[in-house]
Amino acid sequence: MPLCNDSSRNLAVAVALFFAGVLYFSFSTHSISDHISDLLHNTNTPQQVKTIEFPQDELEAVLESAAAGNNNTVIIALVNRAYVEEVGEGRTMLDLFLESFWEGEGTLPLLDHLVLVATDHTAYDRCRFKRLHCYKMDIKGVDLEGEKVYMSADFIEMMWRRTHFLLDVLSRGYHILFTDTDVLWLRTPFSRLSNNGSLDMQISVDQNNVEAGHAINTGFFHVRSNNKTFSLFNKWYDMRLNSPGMKEQDVLQKLLDTGFFNQLGLNVNFLNTTEFSGFCQDSTDMGVVTTVHANCCRHIPAKIFDLTLVLSDWKSYKTSHVINKWSPHHKCGGSWKDNDYVPKP
């Protein structure tokens, strides 16, 4: 009889323990599930709130992604179909531009901050194919696909459209390092640009000749987003209406020469051609040169030919560290006399 009681008692204890375990497991599982749900909710909440409070258009999304980790600064370049189509020996201006980032010193990571602004679907598709930050500019009513030869009506229109786009980017609070795609990046310019936070704008020039005035070049410049620079770009763009036949660079030069920069209290640094070089005035020191711009050149085939030589010169320098002279820019020099040149439509 005692044996029977002990067995019954043991059985009852076992059953009680079993149900207690089931209840504990059920409660624990529910608690863990709730905890994970809370974590997921907390993780997703900031993104949802941000989306509601700060609705993004396509441009804002591209700019935010490109500026990440770069002090809210984006590198911007403009491309159209003419810059992504093969010329001569199967090279494109865009390919040459991007190759310089691969061959430059400390430049490859900067591709993460580059935004290619396409004026047509062909250029946009090529940008997407290369997995870059891409944005398709709205250019309703204007054909900006083919090559726009220097100072043609279409060239001037494209430059003004570019100015308006940059004004939009500044108004969103992003600092801009703008570069033409006929600029080769041989070293990271951020280490060469002044870190002085009071500088509103740093802009390239065609020649180092302070006495003759700064002949600015809008193919490469850094501009901080603030009230002064926004006022400058707004005035600059508005002046297109009273400047028929003038390209945007000449209008900006006029604003500089007539003292408008001073009226705004702009602090400007003019980049010397020793570090920020171009075909108008070659850098004499490959040991410090940062960018090379195919300025003083009329059309794309000449630019591609002579910039290819520049890249070859740079590769030789990287191998030998012997400073030599740059190859002559014969094609660009002769482009001004090439009256028979007809750009592809």
Side-chain angles (χ1 to χ4, degrees):
M1 193 69 179
L3 179 61
C4 180
N5 289 339
D6 290 342
S7 298
S8 299
R9 189 181 301 111
N10 291 338
L11 179 61
V13 170
V15 170
L17 289 174
F18 172 78
F19 281 105
V22 169
L23 289 173
Y24 176 79
F25 178 77
S26 176
F27 175 79
S28 299
T29 303
H30 179 70
S31 298
I32 293 172
S33 176
D34 287 347
H35 183 58
I36 292 175
S37 177
D38 289 342
L39 285 176
L40 291 175
H41 176 72
N42 291 335
T43 300
N44 290 332
T45 298
Q47 184 177 3
Q48 293 171 350
V49 169
K50 182 177 181 180
T51 303
I52 295 172
E53 293 183 356
F54 304 100
Q56 288 187 334
D57 57 12
E58 182 182 355
L59 175 58
E60 181 65 25
V62 172
L63 293 173
E64 183 179 41
S65 178
N70 198 37
N71 296 320
N72 211 38
T73 301
V74 288
I75 304 168
I76 294 180
L78 189 75
V79 289
N80 67 356
R81 178 169 54 83
Y83 277 72
V84 302
E85 288 186 336
E86 294 181 353
V87 176
E89 299 179 357
R91 307 206 75 169
T92 74
M93 183 67 77
L94 178 59
D95 289 339
L96 196 60
F97 173 67
L98 295 177
E99 185 180 351
S100 72
F101 282 82
W102 282 86
E103 296 292 343
E105 295 179 354
T107 50
L108 185 57
L110 298 181
L111 288 177
D112 291 336
H113 308 295
L114 171 67
V115 176
L116 284 184
V117 181
T119 65
D120 55 76
H121 290 294
T122 302
Y124 181 73
D125 290 344
R126 183 63 58 88
C127 176
R128 293 293 299 274
F129 176 76
K130 294 184 177 295
R131 299 181 181 276
L132 301 168
H133 297 292
C134 313
Y135 179 73
K136 172 67 170 59
M137 183 192 291
D138 183 8
I139 54 166
K140 294 179 180 178
V142 182
D143 176 18
L144 298 181
E145 288 193 44
E147 179 183 357
K148 308 309 174 188
V149 177
Y150 182 75
M151 288 309 294
S152 65
D154 286 344
F155 172 86
I156 293 174
E157 177 64 26
M158 185 163 66
M159 294 302 98
W160 282 119
R161 293 292 180 115
R162 183 182 82 180
T163 303
H164 183 266
F165 176 81
L166 296 178
L167 173 62
D168 187 4
V169 175
L170 282 178
S171 71
R172 295 166 183 259
Y174 292 95
H175 311 312
I176 298 171
L177 180 52
F178 179 81
T179 175
D180 277 343
T181 43
D182 60 353
V183 175
L184 299 185
W185 288 44
L186 306 182
R187 291 184 172 91
T188 172
F190 289 105
S191 62
R192 307 282 172 168
L193 294 170
S194 174
N195 292 323
N196 186 345
S198 67
L199 282 174
D200 301 301
M201 192 172 191
Q202 301 182 67
I203 187 167
S204 62
V205 298
D206 286 335
Q207 293 185 335
N208 293 332
N209 192 343
V210 178
E211 294 180 357
H214 298 285
I216 60 174
N217 191 302
T218 54
F220 187 91
F221 61 84
H222 179 271
V223 58
R224 295 183 60 82
S225 175
N226 56 43
N227 290 335
K228 291 185 289 184
T229 56
F230 179 78
S231 296
L232 171 65
F233 272 68
N234 195 48
K235 174 68 172 180
W236 183 16
Y237 183 69
D238 283 347
M239 283 188 67
R240 78 195 187 283
L241 301 174
N242 300 319
S243 309
M246 292 181 67
K247 65 180 185 294
E248 38 68 64
Q249 179 174 292
D250 294 337
V251 173
L252 186 63
Q253 182 76 54
K254 183 177 180 180
L255 287 173
L256 172 64
D257 294 341
T258 56
F260 187 71
F261 281 47
N262 293 333
Q263 292 178 31
L264 291 177
L266 283 165
N267 294 316
V268 183
N269 180 36
F270 301 96
L271 305 174
N272 67 75
T273 59
T274 303
E275 295 180 334
F276 298 90
S277 181
F279 290 176
C280 296
Q281 185 177 57
D282 285 324
S283 171
T284 57
D285 191 351
M286 288 187 184
V288 299
V289 68
T290 302
T291 59
V292 177
H293 187 188
N295 51 7
C296 291
C297 194
R298 182 167 173 260
H299 53 63
I300 290 177
K303 291 183 177 186
I304 290 180
F305 186 92
D306 285 344
L307 284 176
T308 300
L309 294 179
V310 169
L311 199 55
S312 178
D313 293 340
W314 170 249
K315 292 177 182 178
S316 297
Y317 167 77
K318 286 202 305 177
T319 301
S320 65
H321 292 285
V322 175
I323 297 177
N324 296 311
K325 291 184 177 180
W326 300 102
S327 298
H329 316 305
H330 289 317
K331 290 291 185 180
C332 279
S335 66
W336 301 101
K337 301 177 181 178
D338 191 0
N339 296 324
D340 295 329
Y341 176 74
V342 178
K344 294 176 64 176

